[in-house]
Amino acid sequence: MKEWKASHPEDDWIVGGSYDGSLTDDGLFDAKWLDEVTGDTPTILRGWNYHTAWVNTAALRAGGITSETPDPTCGEIVRRPDGTPLGTLREAAANDFIERVVPRHPEDAQLRALDAATQQYIAHGITWVQDAWVEPADVDVYCAAAQAGHLHARVNLAFKADPGDWLSQLVEFGAARRRIEELDTEMLTARTVKFFVDGIIENFSAFLTEPYAVRPDERGTPNWAPNELARAVREIDALGFQIHLHAIGDAAVTSALDAIEYAQQINDAWDRRPVVAHAILVRPADVNRFFELGVIANFEPYWAQCDHVTMSQTIPYIGEVRGKWQYLIHSVRSAGAQVSFGSDWPVSSMDWRLAFATAVTRRDPFDEGAERLIPEERVDAATAFAAFTEGTSFQAFAATRGSLRVGNVADAMLLSDDPLQTEASQIPALAIQGTWLSGKRVSG
C-alpha cells in the first residue's frame, strides 16, 4: 500500500483487494494501520471473502461514518470500546459503502477488466462462467463488452436480489434479461437471480441452527427472513429465472431448500434447475433434500481442506460436531443430487486443477502429508471432473456442452495428460495446451 501510494500520488481514492482476514486473530483491521501509509487519501480494501472491507480514517470521513452512525440492516460497523468506528466493515456495511461512497471505475477500465478476466478463464480451459453478483449498473458494461468483443468466455449474469427492495426489482430484472436476449449473442445470457441467504462463518454472519461455539448468544445474520425468502423465490421463479442461493450456514441451507420447495409447491412445473451455492454446512437431515427437490449443489472444492482459515477460525467457531458437516460432496452426490463445481473467483483461485486435486484428496494439493478434512467426503477423479464439466453445463442449461460427443458444441480443452489417470498430487502440474470455443481455438 505504501508503494502504491508513492507511485500514484494523484489518486483521489485507493481501491484494492484482497487482504487475508486471518492475518489477525479476530479478523479485525484498524483504520490507523492504513492511515500510516495512505494518509488523507480515502482507501478501501476488500477482504478476500468479499464480505468484509477495511477502510482508513479518510474513507470513514468520506462516508460520513462516525460513532453515531447506526449499523445498516444485515451489516456491522465494527467499533472500538469507546464506540468509534474501528475501520472494519462487515456484510451490508461494506457492500453499501462500496455502492454509495466509493467512486465507480470508468467504463473503459471495466471493459479492460472483463477482457482480461475472460481471457484468463479461457487460458485455464474454462469456456463458461457466471457472475453471481450483478448490480443494475453492471448491465451496461456487460452489454458493451459483448458488442465490442471483450467477452472471451461465455458469461451468465445473476442479478443480486435485495432483501429490502426485491419487489421493485422484478420489472428491472425482466427488462435487463430482454435487453441481453436482444443482443442475440451466445457470449452473454442473464437467466439467473442470486440471493445471499447469509454471510460467512469467519465473521460470524453465517446463519446457524444453533449458536456459534465461541459466541453462545449468536446464530449469525440471516439476510432474509425465511418467509420473505420463500415469497421472493416463488415470485422470481414464476418469472422463469433460475434461482441461485448463497448459503453457508446449516440454517441458511435449510432456509434455501425450504424456499425452493415452497416455489415448487405453488408455481407451475418447469425446468428450473435451482442452485444452492457453497453449502458449506449441511445438516445430515438436509442431504437427501438436494436430490428430492432437484437442487444443484454448487460446491467450491478448493475450500475443502485443513487450511489456516478452517483450522484457526471455521472449526473453532462452529465446534467439532458441525465441523464434520463441511463440504459433504460425496454424501450429496451419493444421494443422487446433481453436483457442480466452481471457484468463486476472485475469492479463491480460478485454477480448476487445484480444486480438482482438493476434491479427490481433501487436503492441500501441494502437501501430501497435510491433514485431510473429513476424508470420507472425497470423490473420485471421474466424479470431480464430471462436476466441472457435465455438472456445470447442466447448471448452465447447456445440454450440448460439457462432454465430447458427436453433435455437441465443441467447447474443449487439451491437457498434457489424462486427469483421470494422473496422481492427485500431479494434477496441478497438468499443462493446459489449448482451449476451443464452439470449435474455434481461442487459447494455446
Side-chain angles (χ1 to χ4, degrees):
M1 293 302 297
K2 182 177 181 180
E3 292 171 359
W4 180 270
K5 168 70 173 177
S7 59
H8 298 79
E10 74 288 349
D11 282 4
D12 294 327
W13 274 77
I14 298 175
V15 181
S18 52
Y19 69 92
D20 182 351
S22 67
L23 290 173
T24 64
D25 291 339
D26 54 11
L28 303 181
F29 289 74
D30 198 312
K32 295 177 181 178
W33 304 341
L34 279 179
D35 293 347
E36 294 178 8
V37 293
T38 59
D40 290 332
T41 302
T43 300
I44 180 167
L45 302 179
R46 298 193 84 156
W48 62 268
N49 54 40
Y50 274 62
H51 289 256
T52 312
W54 177 19
V55 295
N56 69 354
T57 300
L60 289 170
R61 189 181 308 118
I65 296 179
T66 69
S67 57
E68 305 301 319
T69 305
D71 287 343
T73 303
C74 301
E76 179 187 8
I77 301 167
V78 180
R79 304 173 194 274
R80 298 186 175 90
D82 64 1
T84 58
L86 176 68
T88 299
L89 308 176
R90 288 174 167 167
E91 299 297 342
N95 301 331
D96 292 351
F97 189 94
I98 290 167
E99 287 296 315
R100 179 178 58 87
V101 181
V102 179
R104 190 173 178 83
H105 292 295
E107 184 174 288
D108 63 331
Q110 295 182 65
L111 291 175
R112 290 196 304 272
L114 284 174
D115 191 294
T118 53
Q119 286 200 59
Q120 286 186 50
Y121 275 117
I122 287 295
H124 281 85
I126 299 166
T127 60
W128 180 90
V129 298
Q130 177 170 272
D131 185 340
W133 187 340
V134 175
E135 302 284 357
D138 299 327
V139 175
D140 287 343
V141 178
Y142 269 111
C143 288
Q147 291 173 311
H150 288 297
L151 299 182
H152 303 282
R154 297 183 179 89
V155 181
N156 179 56
L157 306 186
F159 304 120
K160 178 178 175 288
D162 186 334
D165 196 33
W166 65 268
L167 271 172
S168 68
Q169 289 180 306
L170 298 182
V171 172
E172 182 179 60
F173 291 164
R177 178 173 57 181
R178 287 191 298 273
R179 180 181 172 190
I180 289 169
E181 288 172 346
E182 289 169 359
L183 294 177
D184 193 25
T185 172
E186 66 171 354
M187 302 306 292
L188 187 64
T189 56
R191 59 170 54 98
T192 307
V193 171
K194 168 73 172 285
F195 295 79
F196 282 91
V197 182
D198 64 346
I200 58 172
I201 294 169
E202 292 75 43
N203 68 14
F204 302 102
S205 58
F207 183 30
L208 305 183
T209 304
E210 299 296 334
Y212 282 87
V214 294
R215 293 191 177 184
D217 296 327
E218 292 188 30
R219 295 173 52 226
T221 307
N223 293 327
W224 297 75
N227 289 344
E228 188 71 0
L229 177 66
R231 180 181 171 220
V233 166
R234 183 200 70 196
E235 293 287 346
I236 291 173
D237 173 85
L239 296 177
F241 280 103
Q242 180 187 38
I243 302 299
H244 188 105
L245 300 116
H246 160 114
I248 298 286
D250 61 306
V253 172
T254 298
S255 183
L257 294 171
D258 288 347
I260 292 167
E261 184 173 23
Y262 178 70
Q264 293 179 1
Q265 292 171 344
I266 301 299
N267 293 346
D268 293 337
W270 67 283
D271 186 13
R272 46 178 49 93
R273 305 189 192 187
V275 179
V276 172
H278 313 316
I280 291 180
L281 287 185
V282 177
R283 295 185 306 131
D286 279 335
V287 167
N288 288 334
R289 296 183 71 199
F290 284 87
F291 170 69
E292 293 166 356
L293 297 172
V295 175
I296 301 167
N298 174 247
F299 291 104
E300 281 57 51
Y302 189 47
W303 304 346
Q305 58 175 288
C306 294
D307 60 11
H308 177 66
V309 173
T310 299
M311 303 308 291
S312 68
Q313 294 182 320
T314 306
I315 293 178
Y317 291 178
I318 60 177
E320 294 292 336
V321 173
R322 285 178 296 195
K324 298 295 185 183
W325 298 356
Q326 294 183 84
Y327 311 102
L328 302 183
I329 302 172
H330 174 76
S331 294
V332 171
R333 184 69 188 90
S334 296
Q338 179 68 63
V339 169
S340 68
F341 281 170
S343 67
D344 208 35
W345 182 82
V347 169
S348 53
S349 173
M350 68 167 64
D351 192 335
W352 63 269
R353 293 168 294 186
L354 305 179
F356 182 102
T358 307
V360 299
T361 63
R362 303 284 291 203
R363 60 163 172 75
D364 182 340
F366 296 108
D367 183 0
E368 294 188 45
E371 181 180 355
R372 300 179 192 272
L373 179 67
I374 322 175
E376 58 268 29
E377 289 299 328
R378 289 178 289 177
V379 294
D380 60 30
T383 300
F385 204 71
F388 277 118
T389 53
E390 292 180 315
T392 303
S393 66
F394 181 82
Q395 179 180 325
F397 294 87
T400 58
R401 302 198 299 267
S403 62
L404 294 177
R405 293 189 176 94
V406 174
N408 273 8
V409 173
D411 279 16
M413 169 179 57
L414 178 63
L415 297 173
S416 58
D417 209 340
D418 182 354
L420 305 187
Q421 303 298 324
T422 302
E423 287 291 330
S425 61
Q426 298 304 309
I427 291 291
L430 288 175
I432 300 169
Q433 299 177 335
T435 305
W436 284 258
L437 185 85
S438 294
K440 179 182 178 182
R441 188 166 192 156
V442 290
S443 179

